[in-house]
């Protein structure tokens, strides 16, 4: 596949132009530095989808059993989210980022002894350590991005940064699939070793730079009822949890779905997942960031939620090629959901922002629940199409949240 350098340059220019309008001038360098983190954790998340299928083949385990890859990974989010929030509250954003990168790097390098022992449980422990590191990164970076410009453009700004998460998502299955599903069966530790070395290098960089700490001012939420009496925040936590169930379930069993239906083999499916599904996902985030400059974020979220419900319903109905097309379109519709829900849920929380962010970062535990449910449904029914009922129900909850938010901001 030939990628035209001119197209890359044009994309860079468009991104820089959007950044100028969304980010205050004094915060542009911190914006660029922190945005690089979004790529790193996007890679870590997306390579799991290849790892899931790889373990099924190498260790001869069921789909429900292999789903423990996602269970342990996203369990790390649930366990570490509140400690990460407390750490960042006390020591600041920069130290939170550095500590998270260290955990990420160490967890990646643990794949070296893991490959020697070929222990599924040790691999799960390594993924848990990586996840704990990512919690620190996301708890710091997501709210930090919402504060680097005007409040009205917070969702658009976070979507722009999360677009580079999408780029990492493309690279994860592509590199992982080419290595793990190749004829010579390259070692499972290779992509993780490279990832660990790069991440530790980035940790060294962040330990030498300064990130401005942002002040959060008291709001009407603090003066009145308190964080857990803020209904849109509470519903935002639920919606984000359900979104994670849907997103991670679909990614985890994308390869199973297209292979079981005879569309392609596992190696080709990993490449298609990268450039097809996750490529549309990344484009969706760039497009969403641009659209939200002109249309309110809650309206865009409602439109996309309707789109995901329709496309997932078509997959459940098993309509052949129509279902396959719907699967790819779903990636475009779901792309803006996480950053948009995250930004909307933090709206108006003032100095509660860091604490609220840590609670929101517990929501990816849905990524532990979803694949387990979806894998179990697939094993019980012997139908990957029917198992998409799990993300369908989850997207319906997101649709309800988007409707409530839209009504509340009229």
């Amino acid at each position: 596949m030939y990628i035209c350098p001119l197209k890359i340059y044009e994309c860079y220019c468009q991104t820089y132009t959007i950044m100028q309008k969304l980010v205050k001038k004094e915060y542009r360098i911190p914006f660029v530095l922190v945005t690089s983190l979004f790529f790193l954790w996007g890679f870590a998340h997306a390579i799991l989808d290849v790892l899931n299928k790889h373990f099924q083949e190498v260790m001869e385990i069921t789909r429900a059993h292999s789903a423990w890859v996602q269970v342990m990974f996203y369990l790390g989010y649930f366990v570490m989210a509140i400690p990460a929030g407390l750490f960042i509250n006390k020591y600041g954003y920069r130290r939170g980022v550095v500590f998270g990168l260290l955990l990420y790097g160490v967890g990646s390098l643990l794949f070296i002894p893991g490959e020697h022992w070929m222990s599924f449980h040790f691999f799960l422990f390594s993924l848990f350590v990586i996840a704990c590191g990512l919690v620190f990164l996301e708890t710091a970076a997501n709210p930090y991005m919402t504060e680097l410009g005007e409040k009205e453009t917070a969702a658009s700004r976070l979507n722009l940064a999360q677009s580079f998460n999408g780029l990492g998502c493309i690279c994860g299955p592509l590199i992982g699939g080419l290595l793990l599903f190749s004829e010579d069966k390259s070692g499972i530790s290779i992509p993780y070793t490279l990832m660990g070395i790069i991440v530790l290098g980035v940790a060294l960089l962040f330990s030498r730079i300064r990130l401005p700490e942002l002040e959060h001012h008291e709001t009407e939420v603090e003066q009145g009822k308190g964080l857990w009496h803020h209904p849109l925040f509470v519903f935002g936590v639920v919606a984000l949890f359900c979104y994670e169930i849907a997103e991670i379930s679909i990614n985890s069993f994308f390869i199973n779905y297209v292979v079981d239906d005879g569309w392609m083999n596992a190696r080709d499916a990993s490449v298609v997942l990268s450039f097809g599904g996750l490529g549309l996902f990344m484009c969706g985030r760039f497009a969403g960031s641009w659209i939200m400059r002109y249309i309110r974020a809650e309206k865009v979220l409602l439109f996309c939620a309707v789109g995901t419900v329709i496309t997932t319903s078509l997959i459940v109905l098993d309509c052949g090629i129509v279902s396959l097309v719907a699967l790819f379109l779903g990636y475009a519709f779901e792309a803006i959901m996480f950053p948009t829900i995250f930004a909307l849920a933090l709206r108006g929380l003032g100095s509660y922002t860091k604490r609220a962010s840590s609670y929101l970062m517990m929501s990816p535990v849905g990524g532990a629940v979803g694949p387990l449910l979806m894998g179990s449904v697939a094993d019980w029914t012997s139908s990957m199409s029917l198992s998409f009922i799990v993300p369908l129900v989850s997207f319906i909850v997101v649709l309800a949240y988007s409707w409530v938010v839209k009504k509340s901001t009229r």
Side-chain angles (χ1 to χ4, degrees):
M1 178 178 289
Y2 174 70
I3 301 176
C4 177
L6 182 59
K7 292 293 184 183
I8 296 176
Y9 178 73
E10 288 176 354
C11 182
Y12 166 79
C13 291
Q14 291 170 1
T15 303
Y16 182 74
T17 301
I18 295 173
M19 183 190 74
Q20 285 182 307
K21 295 180 179 180
L22 296 179
V23 183
K24 292 181 180 178
K25 187 176 181 179
E26 63 269 28
Y27 294 140
R28 286 175 188 166
I29 292 177
F31 177 86
V32 172
L33 291 172
V34 177
T35 296
S36 68
L37 302 176
F38 286 76
F39 174 88
L40 292 176
W41 79 61
F43 188 96
H45 279 263
I47 199 172
L48 292 179
D49 308 325
V50 176
L51 204 58
N52 190 309
K53 179 65 175 176
H54 180 71
F55 281 141
Q56 290 174 31
E57 295 181 353
V58 173
M59 298 186 173
E60 298 181 350
I61 57 179
T62 65
R63 286 171 289 202
H65 193 181
S66 72
W68 279 94
V69 167
Q70 274 78 13
V71 171
M72 286 302 295
F73 190 84
Y74 291 102
L75 187 62
Y77 277 80
F78 185 78
V79 171
M80 196 57 66
I82 292 178
L86 294 173
F87 183 95
I88 292 165
N89 257 327
K90 184 174 183 179
Y91 297 107
Y93 288 113
R94 185 181 65 85
R95 289 181 179 176
V97 166
V98 171
F99 188 67
L101 287 167
L102 289 174
L103 286 175
Y104 182 175
V106 170
S108 299
L109 295 179
L110 285 176
F111 267 71
I112 298 175
E115 183 180 30
H116 176 72
W117 295 320
M118 282 305 290
S119 166
F120 185 60
H121 293 96
F122 191 82
F123 283 131
L124 294 180
F125 172 74
S126 304
L127 290 170
F128 181 82
V129 174
I130 292 173
C132 289
L134 297 184
V135 176
F136 279 84
L137 295 185
E138 296 195 46
T139 303
N142 282 311
Y144 194 76
M145 284 299 176
T146 66
E147 299 291 332
L148 297 181
E150 300 300 326
K151 292 181 180 179
E152 293 75 14
T153 59
S156 181
R157 188 165 47 255
L158 186 53
N159 268 283
L160 177 60
Q162 287 273 7
S163 300
F164 293 89
N165 171 276
L167 182 59
C169 288
I170 291 175
C171 295
L174 178 63
I175 295 173
L178 291 176
L179 288 173
L180 300 181
F181 295 133
S182 61
E183 293 182 1
D184 59 355
K185 296 291 182 183
S186 299
I188 194 173
S189 67
I190 293 177
Y192 279 92
T193 301
L194 295 173
M195 194 160 63
I197 293 170
I198 292 171
V199 166
L200 291 177
V202 176
L204 179 62
L205 171 64
F206 270 88
S207 69
R208 302 301 178 104
I209 64 172
R210 284 191 176 184
L211 289 178
E213 286 296 322
L214 304 173
E215 296 294 329
H216 301 285
H217 302 291
E218 190 178 82
T219 68
E220 67 279 2
V221 177
E222 295 166 90
Q223 297 166 2
K225 299 177 181 178
L227 182 60
W228 288 106
H229 288 85
H230 193 280
L232 291 183
F233 166 72
V234 176
F235 200 177
V237 173
V238 175
L240 216 51
F241 172 77
C242 290
Y243 167 73
E244 289 289 346
I245 289 177
E247 182 202 5
I248 305 307
S249 297
I250 293 171
N251 288 346
S252 299
F253 292 106
F254 175 95
I255 295 176
N256 283 99
Y257 176 76
V258 297
V259 170
D260 289 2
D261 278 24
W263 299 108
M264 61 195 76
N265 59 40
R267 188 172 186 271
D268 291 341
S270 66
V271 176
V272 171
L273 174 59
S274 291
F275 288 106
L278 297 175
L280 282 169
F281 187 85
M282 183 185 72
C283 291
R285 279 196 172 158
F286 274 116
S289 179
W290 179 79
I291 291 170
M292 286 180 202
R293 291 166 54 197
Y294 307 100
I295 302 175
R296 292 182 67 89
E298 49 270 27
K299 290 184 178 180
V300 179
L301 179 62
L302 178 61
F303 174 81
C304 290
V306 172
T308 55
V309 169
I310 293 172
T311 53
T312 312
S313 297
L314 289 171
I315 299 171
V316 173
L317 293 172
D318 195 11
C319 304
I321 190 68
V322 174
S323 295
L324 184 64
V325 172
L327 176 63
F328 286 102
L329 289 177
Y331 277 97
F333 284 122
E334 74 174 66
I336 59 96
M337 286 184 170
F338 183 91
T340 305
I341 296 171
F342 198 99
L344 292 174
L346 290 179
R347 184 180 285 174
L349 296 184
S351 59
Y352 280 131
T353 299
K354 289 179 182 178
R355 194 195 316 171
S357 176
S358 67
Y359 289 127
L360 288 168
M361 286 318 305
M362 294 176 73
S363 65
V365 74
V369 176
L372 201 57
L373 288 174
M374 193 169 174
S376 298
V377 173
D379 287 336
W380 292 337
T381 63
S382 299
S383 170
M384 283 307 306
S385 295
L386 191 58
S387 70
F388 274 78
I389 194 79
V390 174
L392 173 59
V393 173
S394 302
F395 281 135
I396 290 172
V397 175
V398 175
L399 176 59
Y401 172 75
S402 62
W403 176 257
V404 170
V405 173
K406 182 179 179 295
K407 286 185 67 177
S408 69
T409 54
R410 281 179 178 175

